Amino acid sequence: MAPRANWKGFLKVGELVCPVALYTAASTSERIAFHMLNRKTGHRLHREFVDSETGKVVEREDQVKGYEAGENDYITLDPEEVASAVPESDKTMEIEAFIACDDIDDLYFDKPYYLAPSDRHGEEAFTLIREGMKTKKVAALAETVLFRRVRTLLIRPHGEGLIATTLSYDYEVRSAEEAFSEIPAFKLKGEMLDLAEHIIKTKSGRFDPKTFDDRYDAALAEVVKAKIEGRKIKRVTPKAEGKVIDLMEALRRSAGENEKPAKRGRKKAAATGKTAASRRKAG
């Protein structure tokens, strides 16, 4: 079955326009999902909105959105007032600029979508845009109304299609300076850096998403399967907590250096013994 488009519209570059569709590129729908049930009856539960003061259930027609202007002071907004802020959509994803592919910090990346032509009449124009971007090794910044909000997207060539990644606004990305402000400055010794570089070198690899397993989801699936089959559920034994040891010792152990000095020491001692013996013979 062909995937269902999340959005359909037009990709526009100057006077060049082609019909396109957005498809979800990453989804959590395949994860194990649970419903809340009544333990006594086995029936599903449903959520209700309850008045925080009276404790009574509030029916849907009496529910309204509110903005907290102060403590326990709310400004209510009717659906029509909220709708007035929703931008009008002309279903056009207009490219505003072409930029270098690494020009945007991936900290701003939000959610990826596949972008593909939505009908055969737009395939030639779509291919022209894609191949032009590949040749010049650029990405594109575009803007459109997506899911009731004006969104900026980063568009990049990907195989036979394009990837359109929604970008977070600047006010949504928290300051790195605030997160790192309390990290103290350390002067690292040369040996420490040498050992760290050695560990990194021995652990070097390549990213292959197929090698990463969602162990939690797999474990949940096994628990559900065991319940269905009436088998006993195995308890997971927690791992022993790691001991805090000296940083240099930890680095040496990680790099396999804890055995090498001893071997070198034995060889050196043996060599010293032979030298001393030869000296005694010579004397």
Side-chain angles (χ1 to χ4, degrees):
M1 183 181 293
R4 181 181 177 184
N6 297 82
W7 178 92
K8 284 187 176 183
F10 299 90
L11 182 62
K12 186 172 186 289
V13 188
E15 298 302 314
L16 184 64
V17 179
C18 63
V20 292
L22 278 179
Y23 301 91
T24 299
S27 173
T28 59
S29 62
E30 298 301 316
R31 291 180 183 172
I32 291 287
F34 296 109
H35 298 288
M36 295 304 295
L37 307 175
N38 183 332
R39 186 187 293 274
K40 295 179 179 179
T41 65
H43 300 157
R44 279 187 62 177
L45 305 180
H46 66 270
R47 290 191 177 97
E48 291 182 322
F49 285 94
V50 177
D51 189 296
S52 59
E53 294 295 327
T54 66
K56 294 181 178 180
V57 175
V58 179
E59 299 300 331
R60 187 176 182 83
E61 60 269 18
D62 293 322
Q63 297 171 15
V64 64
K65 294 183 184 293
Y67 175 81
E68 189 172 10
E71 188 174 355
N72 296 320
D73 180 21
Y74 297 91
I75 297 172
T76 59
L77 294 168
D78 292 325
E80 296 78 15
E81 293 171 322
V82 174
S84 69
V86 177
E88 289 187 16
S89 174
D90 59 0
K91 292 289 185 179
T92 301
M93 187 181 293
E94 184 160 4
I95 293 177
E96 299 181 339
F98 291 102
I99 62 172
C101 288
D102 59 353
D103 225 18
I104 293 183
D105 190 332
D106 57 11
L107 191 65
Y108 287 85
F109 288 9
D110 179 27
K111 191 172 182 181
Y113 293 90
Y114 294 126
L115 187 63
S118 59
D119 68 46
R120 299 188 65 180
H121 299 292
E123 289 176 354
E124 187 175 9
F126 181 90
T127 302
L128 180 62
I129 295 170
R130 183 196 67 213
E131 292 305 307
M133 291 172 66
K134 280 184 180 180
T135 302
K136 300 299 290 183
K137 296 181 180 179
V138 296
L141 285 175
E143 192 174 89
T144 190
V145 176
L146 195 62
F147 312 129
R148 296 167 62 89
R149 293 189 66 191
V150 176
R151 300 301 304 260
T152 300
L153 299 101
L154 179 69
I155 300 174
R156 295 167 291 169
H158 185 80
E160 297 302 309
L162 298 169
I163 294 288
T165 305
T166 53
L167 300 176
S168 297
Y169 289 104
D170 191 52
Y171 73 86
E172 294 175 314
V173 177
R174 295 183 176 180
S175 169
E177 292 181 6
E178 291 179 11
F180 304 148
S181 62
E182 296 184 10
I183 298 177
F186 288 103
K187 288 185 177 180
L188 299 176
K189 297 178 182 178
E191 186 182 359
M192 283 187 174
L193 288 175
D194 290 341
L195 287 169
E197 288 174 7
H198 174 72
I199 294 166
I200 292 169
K201 186 178 179 180
T202 57
K203 287 282 188 180
S204 62
R206 307 190 78 172
F207 175 68
D208 181 1
K210 293 178 182 177
T211 63
F212 295 93
D213 296 321
D214 188 343
R215 290 184 290 174
Y216 174 69
D217 202 66
L220 281 179
E222 177 57 29
V223 169
V224 172
K225 185 179 178 182
K227 289 281 283 187
I228 293 171
E229 297 174 354
R231 293 187 282 110
K232 185 177 180 181
I233 296 172
K234 296 179 181 179
R235 296 286 180 181
V236 178
T237 305
K239 291 183 179 180
E241 293 185 8
K243 294 180 180 179
V244 178
I245 57 177
D246 177 75
L247 179 57
M248 279 298 297
E249 183 64 20
L251 284 168
R252 284 172 180 149
R253 288 186 185 183
S254 300
E257 291 289 327
N258 54 324
E259 294 179 2
K260 292 179 182 178
K263 290 180 180 178
R264 283 198 297 266
R266 285 196 295 272
K267 288 181 180 179
K268 187 175 181 181
T272 304
K274 287 179 181 179
T275 305
S278 61
R279 282 177 181 169
R280 282 196 297 273
K281 286 180 180 179

